[in-house]
Amino acid sequence: ITPNYQRSGVWFGGLLYPEAHDATRQAVAQRFSWSLEELEPCVTIYRNEDMKDDCFLLTGMSIEGATWDKDTNVLAPLPQKSEISSVLPTLLFRWVKVEKRNVVKEDEMLIPVYLNVSRKNIILSIKLKCGDNRTSLYQNEWSSWPGADKRV
């Protein structure tokens, strides 16, 4: 593996197989001697901060039905109804060790990450902070997407 490969950016949509994202999880588990079952994805906007060895930069990602508010660092409804999607800035993706997986807090939403725009293959689901925007985000088309969190 090339040193600092995780800092050069991983293009999830460019992976040939939906399961290929597991290579990032395996790399982190191996580096820290953690079990794969203890790891959960964590995604935030990259703000040029120092990266640890459990982080990867993701590029080329977009989100439909919402946008990312850079000031509050949470998901927000799209400003105009005519827009369908927004391009996300570079994301800081990391696998974090958790005691209990798949726990979604009140200020988070579980968002499916698809291989491509056809939405046929879910790569994984990630939790993103939504602040108090959960209800307004669900009034968009999200609730009908396969794999979307149905809680409001």
Side-chain angles (χ1 to χ4, degrees):
I1 296 178
T2 306
N4 297 322
Y5 66 94
Q6 74 270 24
R7 288 171 175 80
S8 61
V10 176
W11 176 40
F12 261 29
L15 299 175
L16 297 177
Y17 299 99
E19 300 83 15
H21 81 280
D22 256 353
T24 61
R25 185 167 69 148
Q26 291 169 353
V28 170
Q30 183 177 18
R31 183 173 302 229
F32 295 103
S33 299
W34 294 339
S35 166
L36 290 173
E37 290 75 30
E38 296 176 299
L39 299 179
E40 189 171 86
C42 177
V43 177
T44 58
I45 299 298
Y46 179 62
R47 298 180 184 265
N48 296 319
E49 66 264 31
D50 288 336
M51 290 177 50
K52 297 181 180 178
D53 289 339
D54 61 348
C55 298
F56 301 85
L57 295 180
L58 300 181
T59 60
M61 304 286 285
S62 63
I63 190 165
E64 294 191 13
T67 189
W68 190 264
D69 186 324
K70 294 176 188 176
D71 295 328
T72 59
N73 209 27
V74 298
L75 284 175
L78 288 169
Q80 300 173 358
K81 291 208 177 255
S82 62
E83 296 177 17
I84 295 173
S85 65
S86 61
V87 176
L88 293 171
T90 300
L91 300 174
L92 182 66
F93 178 94
R94 61 190 170 102
W95 291 99
V96 295
K97 186 176 179 181
V98 294
E99 286 186 29
K100 189 172 181 183
R101 292 183 63 196
N102 301 320
V103 174
V104 181
K105 298 175 186 171
E106 287 299 317
D107 67 339
E108 297 175 328
M109 292 181 75
L110 191 60
I111 308 297
V113 176
Y114 297 96
L115 180 63
N116 55 39
V117 295
S118 73
R119 295 191 203 149
K120 290 183 180 179
N121 298 82
I122 295 178
I123 297 175
L124 75 160
S125 293
I126 57 174
K127 291 183 275 188
L128 292 177
K129 295 283 185 188
C130 63
D132 59 359
N133 294 325
R134 178 181 288 238
T135 301
S136 58
L137 286 165
Y138 274 112
Q139 291 172 351
N140 288 335
E141 64 179 285
W142 279 18
S143 60
S144 65
W145 292 2
D149 182 6
K150 303 296 184 203
R151 293 183 318 152
V152 176

